[in-house]
Amino acid sequence: MTNSCGPRVHTAYGHRHALTESVLARAELLLRHGEAGAALPAFRDALAPARDIGAPLLEARATEGLARCLLPTDPAAGLAHLREAEAIYRRIGARIWLGWRRFGGGKPAPACHSGTRHGREG
């Protein structure tokens, strides 16, 4: 079966998707090592391409990362991003956000310490 978009479109999408994932991975690493100041612009750098390529899971992850960076210093902005990420997760049917309600009083717990695996009891 041939797709009318052609292989170049899919290749370009794949490269942008992979690049966005790598920027997110770098941002997560920075945040986990306590470098929220460096992670914040990296999450912002991932957000625009995630939206441009129509990758809502990447968009939600970037938005959640912004929230996690901002919550300690700007709780209002952090909470706004957290709510936006939660709305995206709900819209696409992801269950990752469920752990936020259970751990940390509405703040996202680090994935490796939350006691859940992708929102399911682990």
Side-chain angles (χ1 to χ4, degrees):
M1 182 180 283
T2 305
N3 191 313
S4 62
C5 293
R8 286 183 186 224
V9 171
H10 291 292
T11 301
Y13 170 85
H15 290 305
R16 290 190 71 198
H17 194 277
L19 180 61
T20 304
E21 282 185 333
S22 69
V23 171
L24 278 172
R26 179 179 176 273
E28 281 292 333
L29 222 72
L30 289 166
L31 188 58
R32 288 181 186 193
H33 284 102
E35 298 183 38
L40 185 64
F43 282 117
R44 285 187 177 132
D45 288 345
L47 186 57
R51 287 179 174 157
D52 289 346
I53 63 173
L57 183 57
L58 296 181
E59 179 183 355
R61 287 177 51 207
T63 304
E64 177 188 358
L66 290 171
R68 290 171 52 210
C69 289
L70 292 169
L71 279 169
T73 58
D74 188 350
L79 188 56
H81 285 294
L82 191 60
R83 287 183 176 142
E84 183 182 348
E86 180 180 0
I88 297 166
Y89 284 135
R90 283 182 185 248
R91 180 172 43 88
I92 64 175
R95 296 173 33 161
I96 297 167
W97 67 271
L98 292 175
W100 299 355
R101 298 285 185 222
R102 196 174 305 119
F103 302 97
K107 295 179 184 175
C112 57
H113 300 283
S114 68
T116 62
R117 192 170 130 198
H118 301 288
R120 295 180 293 266
E121 292 297 326

